Amino acid sequence: MATKDSHGQSDFLLAFQGKNKRVPVWFMRQAGRYLPQYQSLKANRPLSELFRDPEIAGAITLQPLEILGVDAAILFADIMTMPSGMGFKIEFVNGRGPVIHNPINSPADLKRLGKFSGLEHVTRTIQLINAVLPPSIPLIGFAGSPYTVATYLCSKHTRMMYESPKSFHQLMDLLTDNTIIYLKQQKEAGIKAFQLFDTWAGSLRHEDYETFVLPYVQKIFKAIKLPSIYYLKNCSHLMDLMEKSGAEFLSVCETVNIKDLKTKKGIQGNLLNSLLYADDKTIIEETIAILKAARSKHPKFIFNLSHGVMPDVNPLKLKLVVDQVHQFKWHA
């Protein structure tokens, strides 16, 4: 693994103070399948094997830095990495995502769940990455939110939530405590910031999110003392509750118009992923429109997509976005 040496400050970390000189940009799921360099490293090995190999996971984490010129690296892992350390048998199947071979089928199954005690390969991967990262490029750690993780682990999570709310809260408590342990492990290994991914909580009603999700994400953000980002997909009806999450930055999807968003929090987002299939002129116009809206309303801003990079995206389109963001005059 190798990156260019640099002694500059991190625009990404300075953005948390509103002191960045240019807009930092990175992409959710930037280390992954859309890169030919990733495919050559992966060969025919299963994803779970790549996650467990610190040398390979580290190399994949670093690939987008030189290829795209992004301002932060994000750990190559999965939101199901932590549950794999709880005893869940997880297989990553192409086209289907994570498959749980011993899911939670009823409240009685909660008795077999254990405490997460850390994963050595995660620590080693972070250490290897930090050994070569320049000071200007921080490593972002991450975890899945307890609710989103539960949607994969629990075969009938919504039924349990309404039929046995006490049991569902027990599951949320355990996943929350284990997520805190997992993120503290990443912090001790050397991450400089973290993002909590909530891919599925946006499907909930406002009142259900407030009851079954918010208290647990609040506990996580309170426990981990690092620059923090909370990503919630389909979040427009939940923005008032996202505000209460405790995260320093709110990463918003395409359901939110940054121009109309009123918040004192930092904002991350939110170029619609599908626009990466458009012509260059359209991509440039849409990117600049978001930047102008952010400049007028949100002094703390990080550029990103509306969700993770899709596997068939042309890397040159992402590089075009990065170049436009970096050329933009943030302090007009």
Side-chain angles (χ1 to χ4, degrees):
M1 299 187 296
T3 65
K4 295 177 182 178
D5 186 32
S6 172
H7 297 287
Q9 288 184 298
S10 165
D11 279 312
F12 174 86
L13 293 177
L14 286 172
F16 285 84
Q17 306 169 49
K19 296 180 180 179
N20 49 304
K21 294 181 179 179
R22 67 177 185 178
V23 179
V25 53
W26 69 283
F27 303 113
M28 291 178 278
R29 211 182 292 142
Q30 69 185 16
R33 298 169 290 174
Y34 69 98
L35 289 172
Q37 294 87 343
Y38 166 88
Q39 296 295 344
S40 65
L41 273 177
K42 184 180 185 300
N44 294 316
R45 287 170 287 193
L47 263 177
S48 55
E49 183 179 317
L50 302 185
F51 295 143
R52 289 193 298 264
D53 186 326
E55 286 285 347
I56 295 296
I60 291 171
T61 298
L62 292 168
Q63 283 177 346
L65 303 184
E66 293 191 10
I67 297 169
L68 303 179
V70 288
D71 296 299
I74 184 165
L75 181 66
F76 178 68
D78 190 83
I79 63 170
M80 302 309 290
T81 297
M82 187 278 290
S84 71
M86 290 176 59
F88 285 96
K89 297 176 182 177
I90 302 169
E91 182 182 3
F92 295 91
V93 179
N94 288 338
R96 292 179 59 191
V99 175
I100 316 300
H101 292 291
N102 55 339
I104 301 166
N105 294 314
S106 71
D109 289 336
L110 297 181
K111 296 177 182 178
R112 64 175 168 82
L113 301 185
K115 183 178 180 179
F116 176 80
S117 58
L119 292 167
E120 185 178 346
H121 66 81
V122 172
T123 293
R124 183 60 180 152
T125 300
I126 293 170
Q127 290 172 340
L128 287 174
I129 294 167
N130 278 332
V132 296
L133 274 182
S136 60
I137 306 293
L139 176 62
I140 305 170
F142 74 92
S145 81
Y147 180 82
T148 288
V149 170
T151 64
Y152 293 99
L153 298 180
C154 188
S155 60
K156 300 175 182 178
H157 70 279
T158 51
R159 177 171 177 172
M160 182 188 290
M161 192 171 74
Y162 293 116
E163 189 174 66
S164 183
K166 183 178 179 181
S167 296
F168 195 79
H169 279 298
Q170 289 175 347
L171 175 59
M172 291 298 98
D173 276 325
L174 178 60
L175 291 176
T176 298
D177 290 345
N178 284 349
T179 300
I180 289 171
I181 294 170
Y182 179 47
L183 287 169
K184 284 185 175 179
Q185 178 194 358
Q186 294 182 44
K187 179 182 177 182
E188 290 169 4
I191 63 168
K192 299 299 188 291
F194 77 97
Q195 178 162 306
L196 194 67
F197 284 84
D198 224 340
T199 312
W200 298 112
S203 63
L204 294 173
R205 300 181 305 166
H206 191 275
E207 55 266 43
D208 291 330
Y209 177 94
E210 189 169 21
T211 299
F212 294 104
V213 179
L214 183 61
Y216 302 104
V217 298
Q218 286 176 326
K219 186 175 181 180
I220 292 169
F221 286 116
K222 185 177 181 180
I224 309 300
K225 306 301 182 184
L226 279 175
S228 57
I229 307 170
Y230 181 36
Y231 172 71
L232 177 59
K233 187 173 171 59
N234 297 321
C235 60
S236 58
H237 67 298
L238 298 170
M239 286 304 304
D240 62 319
L241 296 179
M242 280 186 81
E243 285 263 356
K244 300 177 182 179
S245 66
E248 295 177 64
F249 265 65
L250 307 180
S251 186
V252 296
C253 68
E254 72 277 8
T255 63
V256 171
N257 189 326
I258 285 178
K259 180 176 63 176
D260 300 327
L261 185 58
K262 296 179 181 179
T263 179
K264 292 183 179 179
K265 297 278 190 179
I267 293 297
Q268 178 176 277
N270 71 339
L271 183 69
L272 178 66
N273 284 56
S274 299
L275 286 168
L276 294 172
Y277 302 114
D279 60 89
D280 289 0
K281 182 175 181 292
T282 299
I283 292 173
I284 292 170
E285 289 174 348
E286 294 281 351
T287 298
I288 291 175
I290 289 173
L291 289 165
K292 286 182 176 179
R295 184 175 61 188
S296 66
K297 286 285 194 73
H298 307 290
K300 296 180 179 180
F301 181 70
I302 297 169
F303 197 97
N304 211 306
L305 301 175
S306 58
H307 60 81
V309 177
M310 299 302 290
D312 59 350
V313 162
N314 183 344
L316 293 177
K317 299 290 188 177
L318 291 168
K319 184 65 169 65
L320 176 64
V321 172
V322 172
D323 291 343
Q324 292 303 310
V325 173
H326 285 164
Q327 291 167 20
F328 185 75
K329 293 184 179 180
W330 184 234
H331 300 287

